[in-house]
Structure formats: structure tokens, C-alpha cells
Amino acid sequence: MPVPRARWRFPDPSTAGPDGLVGIGGDLDPATLVAAYRQGIFPWPAPGSPLPWFSPDPRGVLAPDQVVVSRSLRARLRRSGWETTVDRAFGAVIAACAERPEEPTWITPPIRTGFRRLHELGHAHSLEVWDGDELVGGLYGMTVGGVFTGESMFHRATDASKVALVDLCARLVEAGGRLVDVQMVTPHLTSLGAREVPRAEFLALLRRVRDERVVLATDRRRVARLAGG
């Protein structure tokens, strides 16, 4: 669904400082978020501080058709009995991602509100992993044409967040998606095939594919199919 034109104008992300900081201020209205993500910029708030916007260099990315499924993860896929869905429990997923008792969370109440509004407009999506009726893992993020920007993931069972990402990649490939933007790589994401590319390379691809129409299938699927063989 279209959103109104943003009230704010973002600086060129290629001018960001060494830490990737593009600017400070603005709001988390849907129009602002859509405009930012279309330029490869994302918010990374800290409670009690002005709202900062980032576009890091290098950028963490994952090609959905090149996701790495290790032998142990493949075994988990085969035996878990889990199933996946898309957009069945967005509120529960973002709430679970925000639960970080050991550290402050950047998924602040305004972020949660902003992304719930984006979800209602069809721009933000969640991927859920179910063990029966129990939500054991998932992720949420933002679609910008052929790019899915992953915001956060969680697990309540071993490997459930990895399963969510592998299933997302499979659905993206089916839908014609080009890239998963993971923003910054971690050892967890590196094990799944994420890598760093120069920001200029990421922004050039984003400009090429941000107006493509990519629609994720929302059906319920058994994760065993992802194991192959």
C-alpha cells in the first residue's frame, strides 16, 4: 500500500562517517521509514538519545540462493517437525525480538509501533517458526522491492532463528527476491553465508531492484522440505 511522502530528507548515505552515521533526528512514521530504507538507511535508536540513522560501510548481505545449511542444521530441519508461516504473528515476533534481559534493546516502543504500522501497510513482514501451536523462533524485517532487510531474529529452541532465515531465503528465491540485507554481519550470520560488501555496491543494487514487486508466499510449510536429499 502506498504511503505519503516523507516530511524529512535524508543525506546521501555515501557521505556517512566512518561509523556509518548518516544523520540524527526525524521520526519513525511509515513514510519516513520507507524513504530511509529505499536509500539504504536504517534507524538504530538508543533509549534516551536522539534518533540516529545509519548506512554502514561495508554492508552485510546474504544471497538468498546461497544460504549455507550445515550438516547439523540439516539434521535439525529433518527431525524437528517444525512448520513456518509468514505474517501470522508479527506482533508476537517483534515483541520476542525485543526481549533482551541481558542488554538494552534498540527495539524501543517507538520502533515497535513504527514497524507494526509498516506491517499493516504491507511493507514489513515476519517469518514464524512453530512447534505445533508454540512460537519457537522467527524474524522480522522490511521489504524494499527485491531486497529484504532483516531487522532482528529470535529463538526459543535451538536453531529456530537459523531455520527462520533459511525458510525466508527459500521463499525469497521463489518470489524473485535478490538479496537479504543483514546490515552488519555476526558470527551467527556468517555461518549461514552472510558476507560484507562495499556500501557503494549494496546501494547500487538497491537502486536497481527497489521498485520490483516481490511478494512472499504466506502458506504454512514443514521445514523438513528445506533439508533436501
Side-chain angles (χ1 to χ4, degrees):
M1 181 181 298
V3 297
R5 185 181 296 274
R7 295 190 299 130
W8 309 97
R9 179 174 295 179
F10 289 94
D12 183 339
S14 66
T15 65
D19 59 358
L21 181 65
V22 174
I24 296 175
D27 56 43
L28 293 169
D29 287 347
T32 307
L33 289 166
V34 169
Y37 280 79
R38 283 180 58 83
Q39 292 179 250
I41 301 168
F42 58 87
W44 195 0
S49 300
L51 181 62
W53 299 85
F54 289 87
S55 184
D57 188 13
R59 188 79 168 218
V61 300
L62 173 62
D65 60 347
Q66 296 176 20
V67 63
V68 174
V69 181
S70 66
R71 182 177 301 176
S72 61
L73 180 56
R74 202 174 297 278
R76 176 81 61 185
L77 292 167
R78 289 196 180 102
R79 68 172 182 261
S80 67
W82 295 340
E83 294 180 310
T84 62
T85 55
V86 170
D87 290 343
R88 298 290 179 88
F90 186 89
V93 168
I94 195 170
C97 288
E99 292 174 0
R100 299 174 183 266
E102 72 285 357
E103 60 184 12
T105 180
W106 62 269
I107 307 175
T108 58
I111 282 281
R112 290 170 65 173
T113 298
F115 270 86
R116 281 197 298 267
R117 292 172 67 189
L118 279 179
H119 174 65
E120 292 167 359
L121 292 167
H123 295 279
H125 302 280
S126 59
L127 190 297
E128 300 90 20
V129 181
W130 303 93
D131 185 357
D133 293 328
E134 181 183 0
L135 183 64
V136 295
L139 59 81
Y140 80 95
M142 169 89 167
T143 51
V144 182
V147 173
F148 183 96
T149 294
E151 288 295 305
S152 187
M153 58 178 69
F154 80 97
H155 68 276
R156 293 171 177 157
T158 302
D159 289 336
S161 60
K162 291 182 178 180
V163 169
L165 185 57
V166 172
D167 187 76
L168 170 70
C169 286
R171 293 176 190 258
L172 271 176
V173 170
E174 291 177 7
R178 308 294 192 90
L179 198 70
V180 179
D181 166 25
V182 301
Q183 300 176 346
M184 290 174 286
V185 298
T186 64
H188 176 77
L189 291 168
T190 299
S191 72
L192 290 161
R195 61 190 178 90
E196 292 182 333
V197 299
R199 178 173 56 212
E201 180 180 328
F202 168 75
L203 294 176
L205 183 141
L206 178 64
R207 286 191 293 269
R208 290 198 302 272
V209 306
R210 63 189 177 189
D211 292 318
E212 293 181 353
R213 179 169 170 77
V214 174
V215 180
L216 297 176
T218 60
D219 56 309
R220 196 174 185 102
R221 302 182 177 186
R222 294 186 178 277
V223 304
R225 83 196 192 289
L226 298 168

